[in-house]
Amino acid sequence: MMKRRWMPGAIAIGVALADAGCLDAGDPTETTDTVEFAIGVAETSVPMYFANPDAVKGGTVLETTHDLWAAGMTLRVDTCTDRLGYGGDSTVDIGYLRFGTWTPLRTVTDCAPGACGAGHDDVCASFTAPFPMTVVTRTRATHPLGGAGSVDYRSSVAPLDANGMLTDVYTTFGSQPTTGVLRAFAQGTGFTNLDGNTRHIQGVVRLPRDVGFPWDFVLSTSWHGELDFARIDSRRPGDANRFGATAADPARDRTLLTTSFPGIGDPTAEHAGGLARAGQFLFVPVEPRQSGAHDHSEVVVFDLGGETPDRLYSIPRTGDGASAVGVAKLGHNAAIPFFRDRQVLVVGGDSAATLDFYVKPMTPREFSDVAENTQRPWERVMHWRTAVDTRYTTMANNNTTWTLNGEGNGYQNLALLAQVDGALYLLGLNDHVADLWRVRGQGEQVRQASGVWVACPTFLCLEKADSKTVAPAPGSGTWFRYGGDAYVVATGFTLTDKLIMYETDNNPFQGLVKLSEL
């Protein structure tokens, strides 16, 4: 059983959904887990009874409010209508309140036939919050021929399995500062003595402590699959969601936890790469440290929803290494139809000289359930040896490797950025360069370098949207090639959305780990 940290004051229930029946409340032993911070599952169940045929012909409406207080939380609604042979029906509308106005977000009018059992009509809907918001569900039940009946309304909120969505990725990226400020923390006692060569920092992600994570940053290294978890307590992020430049306080800014792990399938796969996070789940690419042994690799998935990281499973890979990953959850409005209602994972092999796209399906009846890889495993849908076609601002699918600014060593860190309207972007980071690519599907219009638009000829095309060169904090010695991250602050407004990038140094110097905050 996976450890959970439950919402204070909420009902702690299982997240598994039954194959039959509207909602399985789960194993009651789930409630014995430690209550520590606000990541978890809450359920409400409200029966709506009606017996007057005249009252229900036009529809009886049940309205409920749900506070999705963190970007990436998923609300699921199930109803079972007891139609008693009279042909009753129900619909569920999920909307949101902004400035007092209710706007519909998604309507789903039926589920798998018979999921609620004989004599019932079932409806389900789900919605993932792109930013913190309050949503209102409106469930309508009708019995056109009259007759007594009832509607059982149930709602639940999934564990965080997604990050926030930006309103306009291109604009937010364009407003990104290009000069970093120094942020540092002390090397903890368990932190491996990195030498900057065979033992060096390779990846970094920032965690949102405001929703309950006990750490601010996770670092990966090239040594024994080491992950280092750090807190910055001397200064908390202000209204701009940035820590800002201050000297490190070794007593309050330090690594608190160091854990080492080999690959699950191959114990020699212990060179960890560029990290990615989806809500409370951490994705860590690992490959063998031996030179030339990158013909296999893994992506190991951790759950950070407990007191210590919980290694869940790995996604095995053959024929290529795994140097960096990016992940995003897309909803029903995804611009690329194949990505709708799916988690999308991109894995860069051999410094992203190759790109592999994976998907994990989800349906309105079920959450994406990143916590397991058995019922609906990750599926690789595209393997790409890529090259930049000079005629296009697009990556074409062919058999030669591509280079970044002529360097030939690709991207050391990747990120997938989802947009509220369903668009998807890929961010590539290396040295001091950040490249933003729009992910297009087959048949979508992509722009040539000449400005002419043509249809994407392959399953996916990457259209160059923007690029910038950044300056690290003075004296920091940080580079994206050592560790790079893109931290999303989603608010629902372009003017207040933020994309905060980080780059790290190669190894601690005089006991300090340095980051440039951009």
Side-chain angles (χ1 to χ4, degrees), residues 112-141:
C116 287
H120 291 76
D121 177 62
D122 54 346
V123 172
C124 60
S126 63
F127 173 72
T128 299
F131 45 84
M133 62 194 304
T134 297
V135 297
V136 177
T137 65
R138 292 179 175 177
T139 304
R140 181 181 299 273

Side-chain angles (χ1 to χ4, degrees), residues 149-306:
S150 66
V151 174
D152 184 20
Y153 169 96
R154 295 186 181 187
S155 63
S156 56
V157 178
L160 295 175
D161 61 356
N163 303 325
M165 295 183 180
L166 295 171
T167 310
D168 185 333
V169 172
Y170 176 82
T171 299
T172 301
F173 177 81
S175 62
Q176 183 77 19
T178 56
T179 300
V181 298
L182 181 63
R183 180 69 259 171
F185 53 84
Q187 176 181 343
T189 56
F191 204 103
T192 296
N193 185 21
L194 305 178
D195 60 12
N197 296 312
T198 57
R199 303 191 298 270
H200 56 265
I201 296 171
Q202 191 64 64
V204 60
V205 293
R206 176 178 162 184
L207 302 175
R209 269 184 69 190
D210 58 329
V211 301
F213 289 98
W215 313 286
D216 287 303
F217 291 96
V218 184
L219 296 174
S220 63
T221 77
S222 63
W223 189 250
H224 296 307
E226 184 175 287
L227 297 177
D228 298 286
F229 297 80
R231 285 170 63 122
I232 307 293
D233 286 333
S234 65
R235 178 169 179 167
R236 301 307 304 150
D239 292 338
N241 296 103
R242 288 180 165 85
F243 288 96
T246 57
D249 180 348
R252 303 182 66 195
D253 305 336
R254 65 198 188 284
T255 55
L256 296 178
L257 174 68
T258 296
T259 180
S260 295
F261 68 96
I264 293 176
D266 177 12
T268 70
E270 55 181 24
H271 182 293
L275 305 172
R277 180 182 64 87
Q280 69 189 65
F281 298 98
L282 182 70
F283 292 73
V284 185
V286 291
E287 58 190 14
R289 286 190 294 113
Q290 295 90 338
S291 177
H294 296 174
D295 59 349
H296 64 281
S297 58
E298 302 175 32
V299 178
V300 183
V301 181
F302 286 81
D303 182 7
L304 305 184

Side-chain angles (χ1 to χ4, degrees), residues 423-513:
L424 181 65
Y425 287 82
L426 172 67
L427 185 65
L429 303 172
N430 194 43
D431 289 348
H432 298 308
V433 177
D435 289 332
L436 184 67
W437 301 83
R438 172 71 185 270
V439 183
R440 301 279 190 184
Q442 189 166 18
E444 276 195 272
Q445 293 293 303
V446 294
R447 182 169 50 88
Q448 294 178 328
S450 62
V452 177
W453 292 78
V454 298
C456 172
T458 59
F459 179 66
L460 294 176
C461 290
L462 299 182
E463 178 187 345
K464 192 71 165 292
D466 201 355
S467 179
K468 63 174 58 180
T469 300
V470 302
S476 66
T478 62
W479 299 73
F480 283 135
R481 71 166 67 170
Y482 302 147
D485 183 39
Y487 180 77
V488 170
V489 179
T491 66
F493 296 92
T494 302
L495 290 177
T496 51
D497 281 353
K498 294 181 180 65
L499 183 65
I500 305 173
M501 295 194 294
Y502 293 91
E503 57 178 30
T504 71
D505 56 359
N506 195 18
N507 61 294
F509 178 70
Q510 294 181 344
L512 293 180
V513 178

